[in-house]
Each structure stands twice: as structure tokens, then as C-alpha cells.
Amino acid sequence: MESTLKELRDGNTVLEVDSKSAVSGGVRDVHGEDAATEDQIVTPWTISVASGYSLLRNPHHNKGLAFTEKERDHHYLRGLLPPSVVSQDLQVKKLMANIRQYTVPLQKYMAMMDLQERNEKLFYKLLMDNVEELLPVVYTPTVGEACQKYGSILRRPQGLFISLNEKGKILEVLKNWPEKNIQVIVVTDGERILGLGDLGCQGMGIPVGKLSLYTALGGVRPSACLPVTIDVGTNNQKLLDDEFYIGLRQKRATGQEYAELIHEFMCAVKQNYGEKVLVQFEDFANHNAFDLLARYGTTHLVFNDDIQGTASVVLAGLISALNLVGGTLAEHTFLFLGAGEAGTGIAELIALEMSKQTQAPLEETRKKIWLVDSKGLIVSSRMDSLQHFKKPWAHEHEPIKNLVDAVKAIKPTVLIGSSGVGRTFTKEVVEAMASFNEKPIILALSNPTSQSECTAEEAYTWSEGRAIFASGSPFDPVEYNGKVFVPGQSNNAYIFPGFGLGLIISGAIRVHDDMLLAASEALAKQATQENFDKGMIYPPFSNIRKISAHIAANVAAKAYELGLATRLPQPENLVEYAENCMYSPVYRSFR
């Protein structure tokens, strides 16, 4: 204790005392919890030992009615709690009963956020034990509505808000965050939130939600996660006129002013947290997303979930779907509706995988993939007017203005929607796909549900039950002609938590495309014949931690193979190592 007090007097915090690395996300074992087994007792440190009223208000240590009689005596909790002592499992049961009473999804979301703010371990235990039911609550589609109303529902700020007001002081702002050993940062500028457009500062719901999944699904410690929103204004006039809007009331900064703020942030992150902190770009507009990934991909450990994560999960679904339709990827033809971050990112990863399998040049495999944007089919005659990220997909063909004509002309075996525009896979489009494919693969990926290109029921009905369907947001099972179809969800949550964990446990310093392919292949292998029999091309989310461990192991193995890993020596069994590194939400016993 004396040495700790000396550290405090010298201007350091307890968090800076122990510099040893540990498992559970690769962060330093500040509280001694990682080194202890679940049945060993630990000390509930904050700056000092938490006790009494402060212990009940500390979400990292609070256990509510699960504090034992002995803990209540030792930590001055007598009288501050009702006399009943309950188990964590009973708390989970009670909370799920309460949440199920809400009929409005946003109410469920707010209940979950309130729980996260008062009892961290119970929040993650609840989410992990009921992941299929609660994933749509804490993330898409409900998080979209939460972002739209963030200014009205905000109770306690989560994460760091960095605005133009902090220009020149971002390093100081990062140091205001209480946790010092950050491993994953999810950052957005709020310009393109899901399919909802510019939500400005209120896009913070996305980084918060993503990092909840990093912990629940990927096992990264909550204390190692930092959500960040960079506020450069908003072009959403409705928000600017809203008296409850919480962000800067100005039009978006662009050009040099924007670039300088982002660059200061990226430099400050590296200076404060080191070379191995993962920065995940989230929901940036197309014109910035590609530039940021290209600019910082060679100097930082960066990952864009909209471009790379979406691509990886879709590729996994396609590899898995081959079990149902037969053939190889190179034998199929792909048509995309949408040529933005998601569409071009998916297309490029498919082309890379085909090139890897066939040894054909990337330029050749790209010719199997066609894209339709708002102006029609992307063809070579449009080359001069195309944005740079669309140019690789401009093939020789006569111009075609609409999707249904493109489907009839190209005759794709796979139709992928990433347009952000709902109900664009019309009956005519789906029927055309079914007319020349015995089992048309139809992926309606846009989020939230209202923006999905078609519903599961429409896909199955219009294709006479022959479609292999998956979507970005969840749909209920569909009964058609006496058979029940379970639509798959092509959700990035399959990929990014395990992908991030793989980078962390290997100490990777850069992201390589081969790591994305490794993640896709690992996910595809987790789908079983039982899943295929139901029409599913993805495994159920109930097995997500096991899935994440296999993805992490594949990604880490590729990092070691490419010479990008720094955590040496390489563990013999990477799957087992990944599982051992995962955060546990089970309550710990206190001294």
C-alpha cells in the first residue's frame, strides 16, 4: 500500500504501476484478475480499494445483490443492500424477464445501456447468454434508431467526443480517458451511419455498440476498448435545428481542416497507446473511408469494418453457399447493386479469393464481377466520370440503366445488395434470378431492416422457395409450401470481434488482405450440414465465442506467417490460446 501511495504522490495512477502484459485481450493485468483463476479472490481496485457506496456505483466491480455476506461485511455494504443474496444466473433470469416485457426495441436498448453503466459483468453475462435475442437490441437494427435519438436518450456519456474544438489538444484529450492500456479503438465521424445518413455526433451509438460486441463475442476486455466520435459538424439540417442535438452546430468541415484533425488523432493514438493499438474506422462516408484506409494502412494497425469486415463475412457466406449450389467461386458470376464502400470492398475480396484459388491475375478474376450504381451498370464507357474505387469494375458492355435489365443481361448466379436503398430487389428482379438459376444466391445486405433490398419472405416466395438468402439485418424464419426456411444474417459481428482478437493475441502491427481471407475461410468452416439443411449459410450466433476463437486463431496464424506478429514465441495451439485470452463476465470473489 505504501508503494502505491508513493506512486500516487509521484503523479502516477495505480493503472501505470504494473507494466506486465497478460491475456484476456492482451492488456496489462492491472487488477490481478487475469492472472487469477475464477475461483481465486481479487482486490476491487479503483484508485484505492473500492468499498461501501462507491463500490456499488463502480460498474467494473458492482455485483448488486450477488455480494456475499462476507463481502458485505468486509466492504462496508451492510444496510446499503437488501438482505437477500442471489446468484448471477438468477440476476440474468430476472433481467431477461424484465427486458422481454418491453414491446419497443428502443426501450430494450436503453435498459441494456443502463445495465452496462451500473454493472459491467452482468451486462456482458446477459448479452453472452442470450446473444441471438439481444444482438438486434444492442446493435443493428435498434442501434440505428438509438443514434437518431441519441441526443434525447443520452444519460451518461460513453467514450470520447473529439471535436474541432479540441484541435491541437487531442493527445491531452486521450489522456483524459481513465483506462491507459487501450487495445481497440472504434472511431466514427458520423457521416454515414448504417443506411441512415449523416447523424453527426449522435453516431456515437455505433462505436459503443461495436465495442460491446468486441467484448461479448470476441472476448476483448472492456477496459481495453475505447469508443470515439470525431465531430466535425453535420450537414443534417434537421439535427442542426434540433434543440436537443449534442454535437457541433455547424456544417461539416472538409478538405484540409478535416484531414488535419484526423491526422492529429491518428498520430496521438499511436503516441499514447503504441504501435499495436487497433483503430477500426466505422461509418465514414465513401469519399473519406477509402482515403483513410489507404493513407494509414501502411503506418497504423487499421481496419475498416464497412469495407473489409463486410467483405470478409460475405465471402464466408459465399464459400459456405457453394455447399448448396456446387462449383467454385470462379465458376459463378456476381452482380452487385451498390458500388460504395461495402460493394467494392466485397467485390475486391471475392476477386482476391478467386485469384488465390485459380492462380489467375486479379485483373482477370474481377471480370466475373459486375456492379450497378445509381447511374446503372458500371461499364468502360463511363470510365472518365467514375470515382477511383469504381474504375476496376468498369468492364466492356453496353450501358444499362436499371437493375432488372442488368440481371437479364449479365445472368448472375449471385445477386448482392449493398445500396442502402430498401425494396430494390423487386419481384421482377428476383423472378429473373430464379428463371436462369436453380438456386439463386440473393444477399440483401443493407441495414437497418427498413433499408434491406428485400425481405426474406419476398426472396423465398418470389423464387418459389429456391433462393439461398441472407441479409444484413435479422429476419424471422419463413414457411413456404410446408417447408421452414431460416434466413442467414450476413452480420459483420461474425467477423470483426474474432478478427480483432486475432490481431491482439498475435501482437500484429498491420492488417493484410490475407488475414481477411483467413477470417472468411475460418467462418465458412463453422457452418454445418444441419445449417445447410435449413437453408442457412452461416452458423448460429449461439456458438459465436467458439466461432470467434477459430477466426482469431486463423488470423493470428496468418500474422505469424506474414511476419507481422510481435507476440513471440507463437503459441502451439492458437485456438486454445484464443479461448484462454477471452474475457469472462463471471463475478469474482473479493477479499
Side-chain angles (χ1 to χ4, degrees), residues 237-252:
Q237 193 60 44
K238 185 178 178 181
L239 289 179
L240 293 173
D241 295 338
D242 184 354
E243 62 178 326
F244 298 125
Y245 180 55
I246 59 175
L248 289 180
R249 293 181 183 275
Q250 65 172 63
K251 294 291 185 179
R252 280 191 171 270

Side-chain angles (χ1 to χ4, degrees), residues 522-547:
L523 175 56
K525 287 178 182 177
Q526 297 304 306
T528 65
Q529 188 60 48
E530 182 183 353
N531 302 143
F532 299 144
D533 291 343
K534 296 177 181 177
M536 297 169 64
I537 56 176
Y538 294 100
F541 263 107
S542 55
N543 298 330
I544 188 60
R545 277 223 160 183
K546 176 189 170 187
I547 294 166

Side-chain angles (χ1 to χ4, degrees), residues 483-519:
K483 183 177 179 181
V484 175
F485 296 89
V486 182
Q489 187 183 357
S490 185
N491 192 321
N492 293 19
Y494 276 116
I495 289 289
F496 72 80
F499 188 83
L501 180 63
L503 297 175
I504 291 169
I505 65 174
S506 63
I509 56 171
R510 298 290 180 270
V511 170
H512 192 280
D513 285 340
D514 284 354
M515 297 176 182
L516 299 170
L517 297 179

Side-chain angles (χ1 to χ4, degrees), residues 371-387 390-391 394-395 399-401:
L371 278 67
V372 173
D373 64 8
S374 60
K375 294 180 175 61
L377 188 67
I378 294 177
V379 292
S380 53
S381 61
R382 293 177 51 193
M383 186 69 79
D384 292 343
S385 63
L386 291 173
Q387 294 165 284
K390 295 182 182 180
K391 289 184 177 182
H395 308 317
I400 298 176
K401 290 294 184 183

Side-chain angles (χ1 to χ4, degrees), residues 285-298:
N286 290 345
H287 56 275
N288 290 320
F290 290 101
D291 290 344
L292 291 175
L293 196 56
R295 180 172 185 182
Y296 295 107
T298 56

Side-chain angles (χ1 to χ4, degrees), residues 339-352:
E341 295 172 56
T344 55
I346 298 165
E348 185 70 5
L349 202 64
I350 293 171
L352 280 169

Side-chain angles (χ1 to χ4, degrees), residues 183-416:
Q183 294 290 324
V184 183
I185 295 171
V186 176
V187 58
T188 186
D189 70 353
E191 188 169 5
R192 191 202 61 83
I193 297 299
L194 301 175
L196 302 172
D198 187 348
L199 297 184
C201 189
Q202 297 188 169
M204 178 58 96
I206 297 295
V208 169
K210 287 276 185 181
L211 286 168
S212 296
L213 301 186
Y214 260 110
T215 297
L217 312 186
V220 180
R221 287 182 62 83
S223 59
C225 299
L226 174 58
V228 176
T229 289
I230 295 180
D231 186 359
V232 295
T234 178
N235 293 333
N236 186 330
Q237 193 60 44
K238 185 178 178 181
L239 289 179
L240 293 173
D241 295 338
D242 184 354
E243 62 178 326
F244 298 125
Y245 180 55
I246 59 175
L248 289 180
R249 293 181 183 275
Q250 65 172 63
K251 294 291 185 179
R252 280 191 171 270
T254 57
Q256 185 176 352
E257 185 179 17
Y258 178 88
E260 286 176 354
L261 188 73
I262 297 292
H263 188 64
E264 183 187 348
F265 169 73
M266 294 300 293
C267 292
V269 161
K270 197 169 183 179
Q271 182 178 344
N272 203 45
Y273 301 122
E275 183 89 1
K276 293 179 284 186
V277 62
L278 171 62
V279 178
Q280 177 171 315
F281 296 122
E282 195 66 39
D283 286 354
F284 284 77
N286 290 345
H287 56 275
N288 290 320
F290 290 101
D291 290 344
L292 291 175
L293 196 56
R295 180 172 185 182
Y296 295 107
T298 56
T299 59
H300 292 66
L301 183 66
V302 295
F303 172 70
N304 185 305
D305 192 42
D306 304 301
I307 299 172
Q308 298 167 297
T310 302
S312 187
V313 74
V314 172
L315 176 59
L318 293 173
I319 294 172
S320 181
L322 295 178
N323 290 281
L324 292 168
V325 299
T328 64
L329 277 180
E331 292 170 344
H332 288 269
T333 304
F334 305 83
L335 179 63
F336 285 76
L337 177 63
E341 295 172 56
T344 55
I346 298 165
E348 185 70 5
L349 202 64
I350 293 171
L352 280 169
E353 180 69 11
M354 287 195 289
S355 177
K356 176 185 171 185
Q357 291 179 3
T358 63
Q359 304 302 311
L362 189 60
E363 292 73 19
E364 285 300 311
T365 57
R366 282 175 178 155
K367 292 177 181 178
K368 298 285 290 183
I369 303 169
W370 298 80
L371 278 67
V372 173
D373 64 8
S374 60
K375 294 180 175 61
L377 188 67
I378 294 177
V379 292
S380 53
S381 61
R382 293 177 51 193
M383 186 69 79
D384 292 343
S385 63
L386 291 173
Q387 294 165 284
H388 67 90
F389 53 86
K390 295 182 182 180
K391 289 184 177 182
W393 311 104
H395 308 317
E396 287 293 335
H397 199 283
E398 64 183 29
I400 298 176
K401 290 294 184 183
N402 59 61
L403 177 63
V404 67
D405 289 342
V407 168
K408 291 175 180 178
I410 303 298
K411 291 184 167 49
T413 53
V414 182
L415 179 64
I416 299 174

